[in-house]
Amino acid sequence: MRTATHAQYTLPRLEHGLELSNDQLAIRDMVREFAVEEVAPLAHEIDENHRFPVETWKRIVELGLPGIPFPEHLGGSDQGTLAYCLAVEEISKVCGSTGLTLAAHVSLGTYPIFAWGGDKLRNAYVPKLIAGEYMGAYGLTEPGAGSDSGGTRTTAVLDGDSYVLNGRKCFCTNANHAGTVIITAVTDKSLGPKGISAFVVPRGIAGYHLEKGEKKLGMRGSDWASLVFEDARIPRDHLLGPEGEGFKTFMKTLEGGRISIGALGLGIAEGAYECALKYAQEREAFGKKLSDQQAVGFKLANMAMECEIGKHLVYHAARLKDAGKSYGKEASMAKLYTSELAMRCTYEAIQIYGGYGYSREYPVERMWRDAKLCTIGEGTSEVQRMIIARSVIGRK
């Protein structure tokens, strides 16, 4: 019997027991270098000035990051969800705002068109979104419909070859830079959530305009705005999927988005842990380094352990999606755990820094403010627990 040799095959390099392939490691290392050298130096300034860094987005496009999970024939690199999550994670370690920008563009602004747009919409918009000709945005939340997205009030009335849109969406990430926005609107009020449809709305149509978003607690370098539709007409063929299935389409989109928010929260948590570890190894108190104080050492131990747990949850959910398997429960678990982990890690990092952690001189206070969004976006922590409970109890 012939025995395999190293010349015949090469096992993937392993890191943290997570079995990342050589391609995935190469993407991770490339994005890590970009994040440290180009994203981190701007993180404080864009937060302080509530500024969207157009220059950083251009570099993200040049590096091909928006195309990581999409097929080559549309301009992507076909590297899958896990590789894409590695990119979001690495960027988020140094700047949550920039990690959110990429996550919203890919998972919310591009993926739904790829998955449900059919050949016409897919070929018209996805290559341009991947190439960064413009950004993508996603409009679900309304002033009166947040977690209860079935309470959508924006309407779409069919009139000949057009749908006429009326209503408002708020908290739309990337909206000011988006060439397309995906929204939900009611097409049949009598059917409740089953009367909600999804649409691709191109920028520049009459009756569609933006209103400036409110100032935010965190993620201040991430763009957002409100969308206003006043008798805005879009072509009938810009219906995304069958009429009446928009609620289902958006819920499926959010499942995938939760994996990327999981990567975002994980990155913020790791960034805070790494900052706290470095500071504790340099700062002295009571005659020895902070890291040698048992109280601080235990904090660092918990942070390290929980970040490792978060990696397994996020990477597992991403692998399920890449394999075409059901991943809804796992995505909610990953998102819930890492979003709350980001809050814990950033809190503990501030404690380790002490008074310096409370000042804007150091990045951990910004990380703490950024982390809060992760417990809200793509469904609050309470919504995630509802989803997980239904899954484990066996109710739909």
Side-chain angles (χ1 to χ4, degrees):
M1 179 174 168
R2 189 176 178 184
T3 303
T5 66
H6 288 293
Q8 292 172 301
Y9 70 96
T10 302
L11 290 173
R13 243 186 331 140
L14 305 183
E15 176 141 331
H16 299 299
L18 293 167
E19 300 182 12
L20 298 178
S21 70
N22 289 328
D23 285 346
Q24 290 164 345
L25 287 168
I27 289 171
R28 186 207 63 183
D29 292 347
M30 180 265 289
V31 178
R32 179 176 293 175
E33 181 179 353
F34 163 66
V36 170
E37 294 183 358
E38 301 185 48
V39 179
L42 294 177
H44 175 78
E45 181 267 316
I46 65 173
D47 174 76
E48 196 74 13
N49 296 315
H50 297 255
R51 182 178 75 85
F52 177 77
V54 176
E55 65 273 37
T56 301
W57 176 249
K58 288 180 179 177
R59 286 289 293 135
I60 286 173
V61 170
E62 288 173 5
L63 293 171
L65 305 191
I68 289 175
F70 300 109
E72 293 180 4
H73 73 272
L74 292 173
S77 57
D78 202 18
Q79 291 297 315
T81 307
L82 177 53
Y84 153 61
C85 285
L86 293 171
V88 173
E89 177 189 352
E90 291 299 324
I91 291 172
S92 302
K93 285 181 183 180
V94 300
C95 182
S97 291
T98 307
L100 177 61
T101 295
L102 176 61
H105 174 76
V106 173
S107 293
L108 303 183
T110 306
Y111 179 77
I113 305 177
F114 168 72
W116 295 287
D119 289 340
K120 184 171 182 177
L121 292 177
R122 187 182 299 124
N123 293 330
Y125 292 117
V126 172
K128 294 178 180 179
L129 289 161
I130 289 173
E133 290 188 27
Y134 43 70
M135 300 187 75
Y138 176 91
L140 175 61
T141 303
E142 297 183 2
S147 295
D148 178 18
S149 50
T152 296
R153 293 184 179 179
T154 298
T155 60
V157 177
L158 186 61
D159 181 23
D161 291 331
S162 302
Y163 280 97
V164 181
L165 304 178
N166 281 282
R168 173 185 291 266
K169 302 289 182 177
C170 55
F171 310 143
C172 298
T173 303
N174 298 339
N176 287 298
H177 301 271
T180 57
V181 59
I182 302 163
I183 70 159
T184 50
V186 176
T187 47
D188 189 337
K189 292 181 181 179
S190 68
L191 297 177
K194 292 183 179 180
I196 295 174
S197 302
F199 300 89
V200 179
V201 183
R203 188 159 185 167
I205 62 171
Y208 164 38
H209 67 273
L210 303 174
E211 289 184 355
K212 187 176 181 180
E214 299 83 352
K215 287 190 174 181
K216 298 181 283 186
L217 170 72
M219 299 292 189
R220 294 175 175 175
S222 167
D223 171 69
W224 73 349
S226 293
L227 317 176
V228 181
F229 304 102
E230 298 173 322
D231 291 330
R233 286 182 173 269
I234 58 170
R236 185 174 185 172
D237 62 10
H238 277 50
L239 178 69
L240 187 63
E243 188 172 290
E245 293 195 8
F247 184 78
K248 185 189 300 184
T249 295
F250 266 49
M251 292 303 101
K252 198 66 182 175
T253 298
L254 289 175
E255 283 187 0
R258 285 170 189 141
I259 303 176
S260 63
I261 293 295
L264 174 65
L266 173 62
I268 293 172
E270 290 175 309
Y273 161 67
E274 290 171 7
C275 285
L277 177 62
K278 185 174 185 295
Y279 183 83
Q281 290 173 326
E282 295 172 350
R283 175 80 170 180
E284 290 191 2
F286 305 105
K288 57 183 177 181
K289 288 185 167 69
L290 281 182
S291 56
D292 293 330
Q293 310 280 353
Q294 187 180 70
V296 174
F298 281 5
K299 288 181 186 295
L300 294 168
N302 284 335
M303 293 162 81
M305 174 185 68
E306 290 196 281
C307 284
E308 193 72 7
I309 294 168
K311 276 184 182 286
H312 283 269
L313 286 169
V314 173
Y315 294 9
H316 176 57
R319 285 191 170 109
L320 287 175
K321 187 174 188 295
D322 284 337
K325 297 181 179 180
S326 175
Y327 61 89
K329 178 188 71 176
E330 290 78 8
S332 285
M333 287 180 169
K335 190 270 185 187
L336 173 62
Y337 184 84
T338 58
S339 62
E340 296 190 348
L341 168 63
M343 292 299 297
R344 291 194 296 273
C345 275
T346 53
Y347 173 86
E348 294 291 20
I350 290 173
Q351 290 298 108
I352 291 170
Y353 272 78
Y356 288 117
Y358 197 67
S359 75
R360 293 194 178 182
E361 181 181 353
Y362 291 89
V364 289
E365 69 87 27
R366 167 174 52 82
M367 293 175 174
W368 178 74
R369 288 186 287 105
D370 287 347
K372 185 58 193 168
L373 183 278
C374 299
T375 69
I376 299 171
E378 260 83 334
T380 63
S381 292
E382 292 75 17
V383 167
Q384 302 316 308
R385 287 184 167 87
M386 287 169 57
I387 293 169
I388 296 166
R390 284 199 297 264
S391 178
V392 298
I393 293 169
R395 289 190 290 111
K396 294 295 184 182

